[in-house]
């Protein structure tokens, strides 16, 4: 019952609870109204995907035998005549979660270029509009981007900008103290940037100069913990992830691929597998597209299945195997 309440509240449904107490029993009547800002077309799309008529819902629980038990005869979609069209609780939860995609996660003021437009997923998880390659931007645009980089870099403890040469960076590091490990942000002539980490920052800069011809300057942030630790690389990567997410929230145009909500430009390898139209449909509503996918499951060779059978049997001995399976299923459906 508690999980159902959380599902409704987190999904953004209008939620009402009525508690009734009697001499020998207690009841809880829960009703959920379709959120007022949900789009009718999207509601119909959810209904088609789940093969139901999405309407307001009702759930009836009775306390007996020292536990709350659902009354399935009084659980389902509410009808105009106060009757209940019986539907299983799992289906109701699916409807709440699917329909929430259109209403629950649209933070005010967030740029549709950076985050989901409210179509399916929480902020920062998926973009609504992939970023297209651009021609040379106007000087004012570049200046605005450079100002954003400067503000973000200062807030996150990076040094002042340095010339993008190994010699200049090495001189700075020698003056700053021992160690060559830390994070860096490359600034490009068009106002874009790249955020990274390295155990050897000058060596890493040399690698980037071989790939990028338009590096304008570099800022670094030394990390003493990574210098001292045997697991310095892992430490740096964990913090790199947070920095990339933070940069996106701040509106920086990063050329990173990993951890990005949106890559700049196109992915040639992905386009060979999935058409651009299919990609846009999925970005708009991944859960709906996944649920209506009719592609056959791939057949795996018998020897491959045999190799993994022992691992699966071992997994099934875990007390939380069913819970893990449900979590993975929810993840894959989205």
């Amino acid at each position: 019952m508690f999980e159902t309440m959380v599902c409704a509240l987190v999904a953004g449904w209008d939620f009402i609870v009525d508690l009734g107490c009697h001499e020998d029993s207690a009841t809880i009547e829960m009703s959920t109204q379709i959120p007022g800002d949900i789009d009718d077309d999207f509601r119909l799309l959810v209904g088609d995907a789940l093969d139901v008529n999405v309407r307001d819902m009702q759930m009836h629980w009775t306390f007996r035998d020292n536990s709350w038990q659902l009354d399935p005869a009084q659980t389902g979609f509410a009808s105009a005549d106060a009757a209940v069209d019986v539907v299983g609780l799992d289906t109701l939860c699916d409807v709440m979660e699917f329909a929430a995609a259109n209403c629950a996660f649209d933070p005010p003021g967030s740029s549709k270029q950076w985050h989901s437009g409210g179509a399916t997923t929480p902020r920062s998880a998926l973009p609504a509009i992939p970023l297209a390659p651009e021609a040379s931007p106007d000087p004012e645009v570049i200046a605005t981007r450079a100002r954003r980089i400067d503000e973000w870099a200062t807030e996150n403890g990076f040094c002042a900008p340095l010339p993008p040469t190994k010699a200049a960076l090495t001189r700075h590091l020698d003056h700053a103290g021992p160690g060559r490990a830390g994070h860096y942000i490359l600034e490009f002539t068009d106002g874009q940037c790249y955020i990274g980490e390295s155990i050897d920052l000058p060596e890493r800069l040399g690698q980037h100069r071989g790939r990028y011809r338009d590096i304008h300057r570099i800022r670094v942030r030394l990390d003493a913990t990574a210098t001292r630790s045997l697991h310095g690389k892992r430490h740096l990567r964990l913090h790199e992830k947070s920095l990339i997410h933070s940069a996106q929230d701040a509106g920086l145009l990063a050329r990173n691929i990993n951890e990005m909500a949106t890559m700049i430009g196109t992915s040639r390898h992905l386009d060979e597998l999935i058409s651009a139209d299919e990609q846009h449909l999925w970005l708009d509503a991944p859960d709906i597209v996944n649920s209506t996918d009719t592609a056959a499951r791939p057949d795996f060779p018998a020897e491959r299945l045999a190799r993994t059978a022992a691992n699966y049997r071992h997994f099934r001995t875990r007390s939380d195997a069913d819970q893990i399976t449900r979590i993975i299923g929810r993840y894959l459906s989205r």
Side-chain angles (χ1 to χ4, degrees):
M1 179 177 65
F2 176 75
E3 291 178 353
T4 307
M5 291 181 180
V6 171
C7 176
L9 292 171
V10 172
W13 285 65
D14 300 323
F15 190 61
I16 300 171
V17 177
D18 290 322
L19 176 63
C21 296
H22 308 283
E23 291 183 0
D24 57 351
S25 66
T27 61
I28 284 184
E29 195 85 34
M30 295 193 298
S31 58
T32 59
Q33 279 78 49
I34 296 175
D37 55 354
I38 191 171
D39 181 84
D40 287 340
D41 291 337
F42 189 83
R43 179 176 62 84
L44 294 175
L45 184 62
V46 173
D48 289 341
L50 297 175
D51 196 24
V52 295
N53 180 12
V54 176
R55 289 168 287 158
D56 295 339
M57 306 174 195
Q58 179 177 314
M59 289 149 272
H60 187 91
W61 304 79
T62 302
F63 188 80
R64 61 176 183 268
D65 298 332
N66 294 319
S67 65
W68 287 101
Q69 300 181 28
L70 180 68
D71 182 354
Q74 299 185 61
T75 297
F77 291 109
S79 298
D81 57 0
V84 175
D85 293 338
V86 175
V87 176
L89 185 61
D90 287 344
T91 298
L92 296 184
C93 289
D94 285 343
V95 169
M96 284 190 286
E97 292 174 355
F98 271 61
N102 196 55
C103 61
F105 305 112
D106 191 13
S110 65
S111 169
K112 296 299 187 294
Q113 187 177 22
W114 294 103
H115 304 297
S116 170
T120 50
T121 51
R123 181 171 176 265
S124 292
L126 286 173
I129 305 174
L131 302 177
E134 60 179 3
S136 299
D138 295 332
E140 290 184 4
V141 173
I142 296 176
T144 299
R145 293 174 180 176
R147 185 171 61 253
R148 286 180 178 173
I149 293 174
D150 181 69
E151 293 172 352
W152 180 86
T154 301
E155 290 175 359
N156 285 276
F158 286 84
C159 71
L162 301 167
T165 65
K166 293 179 67 173
L169 179 55
T170 299
R171 285 194 299 270
H172 170 81
L173 296 176
D174 289 342
H175 179 75
R180 294 288 188 268
H183 298 91
Y184 61 89
I185 177 169
L186 302 178
E187 299 180 50
F188 300 102
T189 54
D190 61 359
Q192 296 179 9
C193 64
Y194 181 95
I195 298 159
E197 52 76 24
S198 179
I199 294 295
D200 188 334
L201 289 167
E203 181 66 23
R204 184 63 174 143
L205 174 60
Q207 294 170 355
H208 280 305
R209 286 178 60 86
R211 177 181 180 184
Y212 297 113
R213 302 299 181 185
D214 60 339
I215 301 177
H216 176 50
R217 52 193 187 179
I218 182 174
R219 302 169 191 251
V220 296
R221 187 181 77 177
L222 287 174
D223 193 307
T225 300
T227 300
R228 296 189 303 265
S229 173
L230 294 175
H231 306 287
K233 192 68 173 179
R234 181 174 184 273
H235 170 81
L236 289 172
R237 284 179 174 171
L238 288 174
H239 286 273
E240 178 193 43
K241 178 187 298 187
S242 299
L243 288 172
I244 294 172
H245 293 173
S246 171
Q248 291 176 87
D249 285 338
L252 273 58
L253 275 174
R255 294 186 185 180
N256 294 71
I257 296 176
N258 293 337
E259 303 301 331
M260 292 294 291
T262 305
M263 288 171 50
I264 297 175
T266 60
S267 169
R268 176 177 59 83
H269 301 293
L270 181 61
D271 291 346
E272 291 174 354
L273 298 172
I274 306 173
S275 70
D277 289 341
E278 289 179 292
Q279 292 178 42
H280 283 288
L281 287 173
W282 190 86
L283 288 171
D284 286 339
D287 39 11
I288 298 298
V289 173
N290 290 346
S291 68
T292 56
D293 186 4
T294 59
R297 187 178 67 179
D299 291 327
F300 296 106
E303 58 272 16
R304 179 177 177 182
L305 296 176
R307 287 199 305 270
T308 59
N311 289 339
Y312 180 72
R313 286 195 297 270
H314 177 68
F315 165 72
R316 293 303 308 173
T317 64
R318 296 178 58 102
S319 61
D320 55 359
D322 289 338
Q323 181 183 18
I324 293 173
T325 301
R326 286 197 303 273
I327 291 171
I328 293 175
R330 293 288 179 89
Y331 168 77
L332 292 176
S333 72
R334 287 156 178 74

